């Protein structure tokens, strides 16, 4: 078996029904394939265990984390963290399913690597349905579509986050002091609407996305990670102090707001798209299953702790991003700017994925002379679309919940269990495993429908007054 890595075009031709693979790796239905039965050679220049863990944490920690305290408010101080734990376990289980199915097909076809779309395509080819086998290529295309929607959705969230935080910093600039006590009120200076901030940011974001070299982007990514890590540390040290009596907080919130919790939570846990690429880049990919569970355990603990502590600290006043609840003294204003700096450069990293899917096929249709211009114009258009959508949905909590419910739920919850059934049903599956997979997919589908509906309803007709992001007690 060749040790070179295969890009998606290397196995596109397997969408035909001429391929009828036989056999599966020993232990295929009992978890991950054993190293003795499925040998991954890895890459001698690949990432180490520690480096892959850092990348996994980076792929799962972002703006969704800062919105989780409000999500817990929408679920309740007891129901919220319990639901987060359950969703974390289910999301990690689905990541494991994806890795297991990818291993299964790599063993069958002697492939070094399969991506998410390739695994789904091969899964459809393994079914007994002639129609599904004939149209298996659509499995890859549907996954690709949801990946594009999800990544561009992240970019929309970034526009709203940047606008809200910059607007608050500018509004409080004249009253910002070194006094970070929690009993002062800063008089806010009137400033322009957050949507105008988004338009002001647009040219800078466009210029940022013109950077197409991954090595250059990795430098910005590293700076962004350092900035956001420092900001998180400062946020934690603030919210653990002076926590008020939580007895007035509801154990379970109204059922109508729970779908908003679902959307935000699954938005935060939607890191399944980075799982297979990270495994492929490892020097010793056999270590990845353990690494996956270790990394996602850290992520789940971080999510639950920040969401609970944030809601306990600010109670009913918690805002769409916990950074908007921080005092308007220089220290916490710097935290907001640091996190905004990190999110700004993260935009380019998240934008890279949909850009690489959408732009090259379109550039290939024009002459080489005009290719560079079409490339840049398409980048401007895609960034413009994310900015326009952010302007149309200027509420950070709603855009996070909407993106989570519409696209993240499909990638993280709906597709992986169905993939497992398609992959292993012909070889015999225990009825309880089938029931489990069906239950997870149904749960994801219900969340997809109800979460999307409630987010749209809340957007059109808010059930409660939206807290003004620039009127914060400090």
């Amino acid at each position: 078996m060749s040790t070179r890595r295969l890009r998606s075009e290397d196995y596109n031709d397997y969408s035909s029904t001429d391929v009828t693979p036989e056999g599966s790796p020993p232990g295929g239905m009992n978890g991950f394939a054993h190293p003795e039965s499925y040998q991954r050679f890895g890459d001698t220049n690949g990432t180490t265990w520690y480096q892959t863990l850092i990348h996994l944490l980076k792929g799962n920690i972002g703006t969704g984390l800062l919105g989780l305290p409000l999500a817990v408010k929408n679920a309740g101080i007891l129901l919220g963290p319990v639901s987060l734990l359950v969703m974390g376990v289910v999301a990690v289980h689905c990541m494991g399913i994806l890795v297991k199915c990818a291993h299964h097909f790599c063993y069958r076809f002697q492939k070094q690597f399969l991506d998410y779309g390739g695994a789904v395509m091969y899964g459809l080819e393994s079914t007994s349905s002639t129609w599904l086998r004939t149209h298996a290529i659509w499995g890859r295309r549907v996954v690709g579509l949801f990946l594009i929607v999800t990544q561009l959705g992240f970019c929309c969230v970034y526009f709203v986050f940047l606008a809200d935080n910059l607007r608050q910093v500018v509004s409080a600039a004249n009253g910002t002091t070194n006094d970070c006590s929690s009993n002062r009120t800063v008089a806010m200076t009137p400033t322009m609407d957050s949507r105008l901030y988004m338009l002001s940011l647009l040219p800078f974001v466009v210029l940022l996305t013109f950077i197409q070299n991954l090595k250059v982007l990795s430098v910005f990514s590293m700076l962004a990670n350092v900035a956001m890590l420092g900001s998180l540390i400062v946020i934690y040290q603030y919210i653990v102090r002076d926590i008020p009596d939580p007895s007035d907080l509801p154990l379970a919130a109204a059922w109508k707001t729970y779908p908003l919790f679902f959307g935000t939570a699954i938005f935060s846990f939607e890191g399944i798209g980075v799982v297979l690429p990270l495994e492929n880049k490892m020097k010793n990919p056999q270590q990845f299953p353990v690494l996956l569970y270790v990394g996602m355990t850290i992520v789940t603990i971080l999510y639950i702790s920040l969401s609970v502590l944030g809601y306990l600290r600010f109670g009913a006043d918690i805002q769409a991003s916990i950074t908007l609840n921080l005092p308007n003294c220089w220290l916490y204003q710097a935290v907001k700017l640091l996190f905004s700096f990190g999110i700004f450069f993260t935009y380019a990293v998240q934008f890279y994925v949909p850009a690489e899917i959408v732009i090259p096929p379109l550039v290939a249709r024009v002459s080489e002379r005009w290719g560079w211009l079409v490339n840049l114009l398409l980048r401007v258009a895609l960034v413009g679309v994310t900015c326009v959508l952010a302007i149309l949905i200027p509420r950070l909590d709603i855009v996070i919940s909407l993106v989570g419910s519409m696209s993240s739920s499909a990638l993280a919850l709906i597709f992986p269990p169905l993939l497992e059934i398609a992959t292993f049903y012909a070889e015999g599956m225990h009825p309880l495993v089938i029931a489990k997979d069906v239950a997870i997919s149904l749960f994801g589908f219900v969340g997809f429908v109800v979460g999307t509906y409630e987010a749209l309803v809340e957007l059109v007709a808010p059930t409660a007054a939206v807290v003004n992001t620039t009127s914060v007690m400090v």
Side-chain angles (χ1 to χ4, degrees):
M1 179 168 60
S2 172
T3 58
R4 77 180 178 92
R5 300 224 198 109
L6 299 178
R7 295 162 40 129
S8 60
E9 56 266 29
D10 292 319
Y11 46 83
N12 277 342
D13 290 338
Y14 280 94
S15 60
S16 69
T17 56
D18 295 333
V19 180
T20 55
E22 297 178 357
S24 61
M29 278 301 296
N30 297 322
F32 295 103
H34 300 293
E36 296 82 7
S37 61
Y38 170 61
Q39 180 63 41
R40 287 292 310 278
F41 293 109
D43 188 337
T44 55
N45 297 320
T47 56
T48 64
W49 196 94
Y50 174 75
Q51 291 171 328
T52 306
L53 176 63
I54 296 300
H55 287 309
L56 181 65
L57 296 177
K58 284 161 48 181
N60 284 274
I61 297 174
T63 52
L65 170 65
L66 303 179
L68 285 176
L70 180 60
V72 169
K73 176 187 174 183
N74 288 328
I77 191 60
L78 177 61
L79 182 59
V82 170
S83 298
L84 267 180
L85 177 61
V86 172
M87 291 185 67
V89 170
V90 173
V92 175
H93 176 66
C94 289
M95 292 179 184
I97 289 176
L98 178 61
V99 174
K100 179 176 67 175
C101 293
H103 283 187
H104 179 88
F105 291 121
C106 283
Y107 178 86
R108 282 183 170 183
F109 301 127
Q110 294 296 287
K111 295 292 185 183
Q112 179 63 12
F113 171 67
L114 280 180
D115 62 6
Y116 197 160
V120 171
M121 182 180 69
Y122 284 131
L124 293 178
E125 287 189 348
S126 300
T127 63
S128 58
S129 170
T130 304
W131 188 88
L132 287 178
R133 293 199 305 269
T134 305
H135 297 83
I137 187 62
W138 281 97
R140 174 189 294 282
R141 292 169 180 169
V142 169
V143 169
L145 174 63
F146 274 97
L147 283 172
I148 292 172
V149 172
T150 299
Q151 297 300 122
L152 293 181
F154 290 164
C155 293
C156 293
V157 170
Y158 295 160
F159 261 113
V160 182
F161 177 89
L162 289 170
D164 283 352
N165 282 270
L166 290 178
R167 183 188 182 206
Q168 190 182 80
V169 169
V170 172
S171 297
N174 291 334
T176 301
T177 67
N178 294 323
D179 183 6
C180 293
S181 60
S182 58
N183 57 357
R184 285 184 63 256
T185 301
V186 170
M188 296 294 184
T189 303
T191 184
M192 59 185 179
D193 188 271
S194 62
R195 286 166 284 200
L196 294 178
Y197 278 93
M198 297 179 202
L199 287 176
S200 302
L201 289 166
L202 180 58
F204 301 99
V205 176
V206 167
L207 291 175
L208 181 66
T209 59
F210 284 171
I211 301 174
Q212 303 174 43
N213 190 314
L214 268 180
K215 290 184 178 180
V216 176
L217 288 179
S218 66
V219 175
F220 290 125
S221 178
M222 181 186 68
L223 294 175
N225 293 329
V226 172
M228 291 190 287
L229 176 61
S231 301
L232 275 180
I233 293 173
V234 178
I235 291 172
Y236 262 103
Q237 66 84 28
Y238 179 76
I239 62 177
V240 296
R241 295 184 283 123
D242 303 322
I243 294 179
D245 182 10
S247 58
D248 293 336
L249 301 179
L251 297 180
W255 68 268
K256 192 172 182 61
T257 59
Y258 190 84
L260 299 178
F261 162 84
F262 172 87
T264 304
I266 201 61
F267 176 93
S268 304
F269 277 112
E270 202 291 292
I272 196 169
V274 304
V275 169
L276 292 180
L278 286 180
E279 189 215 20
N280 180 48
K281 294 177 182 177
M282 281 193 74
K283 187 179 299 184
N284 298 302
Q286 293 85 356
Q287 300 175 346
F288 186 77
V290 175
L291 181 148
L292 175 65
Y293 293 126
V294 170
M296 292 309 298
T297 297
I298 296 173
V299 169
T300 302
I301 293 173
L302 180 64
Y303 283 179
I304 294 176
S305 61
L306 184 69
S307 61
V308 172
L309 289 173
Y311 184 37
L312 288 174
R313 178 65 177 81
F314 300 111
D317 295 327
I318 188 68
Q319 297 194 53
S321 169
I322 196 172
T323 55
L324 300 174
N325 284 98
L326 296 176
N328 287 317
C329 63
W330 286 114
L331 172 62
Y332 297 107
Q333 295 290 67
V335 167
K336 298 169 191 175
L337 291 175
L338 267 179
F339 220 103
S340 297
F341 170 84
I343 292 299
F344 175 75
F345 286 112
T346 303
Y347 185 105
V349 179
Q350 296 287 2
F351 182 83
Y352 185 87
V353 176
E356 286 301 299
I357 297 175
V358 174
I359 294 177
L362 297 177
V363 171
R365 295 175 178 270
V366 301
S367 64
E368 186 175 348
R369 176 185 178 185
W370 298 103
W372 67 273
L373 180 60
V374 173
N375 185 343
L376 296 183
L377 290 176
L378 288 173
R379 289 176 181 273
V380 173
L382 284 177
V383 175
V385 168
T386 62
C387 182
V388 169
L389 290 175
I391 290 173
L392 294 175
I393 313 175
R395 283 183 56 185
L396 183 60
D397 56 332
I398 297 302
V399 69
I400 288 177
S401 184
L402 193 58
V403 172
S405 298
M406 285 186 64
S407 56
S408 300
S409 58
L411 293 172
L413 298 178
I414 299 176
F415 293 161
L418 296 180
L419 174 61
E420 183 174 37
I421 294 175
T423 302
F424 297 110
Y425 184 79
E427 302 176 13
M429 293 180 66
H430 195 284
L432 290 179
V433 177
I434 298 177
K436 177 265 297 181
D437 287 342
V438 171
I440 294 175
S441 286
L442 284 177
F443 172 68
F445 182 75
V446 171
F448 167 82
V449 174
V450 179
T452 302
Y453 173 78
E454 288 296 336
L456 292 175
V457 168
E458 181 67 18
L459 178 66
V460 175
T463 57
V466 181
V467 181
N468 189 338
T469 59
T470 59
S471 57
V472 181
M473 297 293 293
V474 296

